[in-house]
Every structure is written in C-alpha cells, then in structure tokens.
Amino acid sequence: MTKILLIEDDEACAYAIQGGLELLDVYEVALAKNGKEGLNIFDRFLPDVIVTDIEMPEMDGYELVKQIRAKDKSVIIIMESGRTMPHDVLKGYKLGVDDYIKKPFIAEELHARIQAILKRTGS
C-alpha cells in the first residue's frame, strides 16, 4: 500500500481528498493541518508521496518542500494550490516538487498523477 502524507489546512478539502484516496483502497493516508505538523509526521510516517498545499499557517508549502528536500531527495512531492500564476507553479518546481495540481480537483485526478509518477520512477 502506498503511503501518502496529505498536508492541507482546509478541513473540507482535506476530508474530500483523504476520503477519495482511501476509497480507492491502495493508499494509507496520514493528514497534517500545516507544514510544521507535516514535517513532524514525515519523520515518523516515512511516506512514499507527499501532497501539500502552499498557503498554510505555521509553515507554508514552499518552506516545507525546502526542508523535506534537505532530508530526502527521492520522496515524491505533489504541490496542490489555488494559486495558478506561473511564478507560483515555477517556484514549486524549482524547490523540487514532482508535480503541481491546481485546485479544485478530484481524488481520481490526484490518483492518476500519483500512479503516473510511480510508474515512471519504478516505485
């Protein structure tokens, strides 16, 4: 089972994404409400994939990606956000994310992106 760390401060959005992914019965999903909590869970949960929002309290997604990439160069990171300006997307890629998904999206779309990355990386 693929382990996903979902870091999302919007409870309704987190609930929908987590529930949708868990219904597919191929993921174990851990949830964090901000980047700081996500970093703590990352160290214990050791996920295969991280899905993180950008705008969050305590630590934003950009800082989270910087800190995770300093620890782990290979974990798959997908950034998700309502921010759609090219500079926001490019900043994520420059920090080392593997994909960027724009809100709103459904769990099946996220699943397809995760599966494509896992297939390409042989994970």
Side-chain angles (χ1 to χ4, degrees), residues 57-101:
E58 297 193 44
M59 180 190 299
D60 71 14
Y62 294 130
E63 182 60 30
L64 174 71
V65 170
K66 280 184 203 173
Q67 291 195 30
I68 287 176
R69 282 293 177 234
K71 296 177 177 202
D72 187 329
K73 302 281 188 223
S74 64
V75 67
I76 295 165
I77 302 176
I78 298 174
M79 193 163 263
E80 49 109 339
S81 181
R83 290 185 176 188
T84 58
M85 296 301 293
H87 67 273
D88 293 317
V89 176
L90 293 172
K91 183 174 181 179
Y93 282 116
K94 286 179 184 174
L95 291 171
V97 302
D98 296 285
D99 202 354
Y100 191 105
I101 188 169

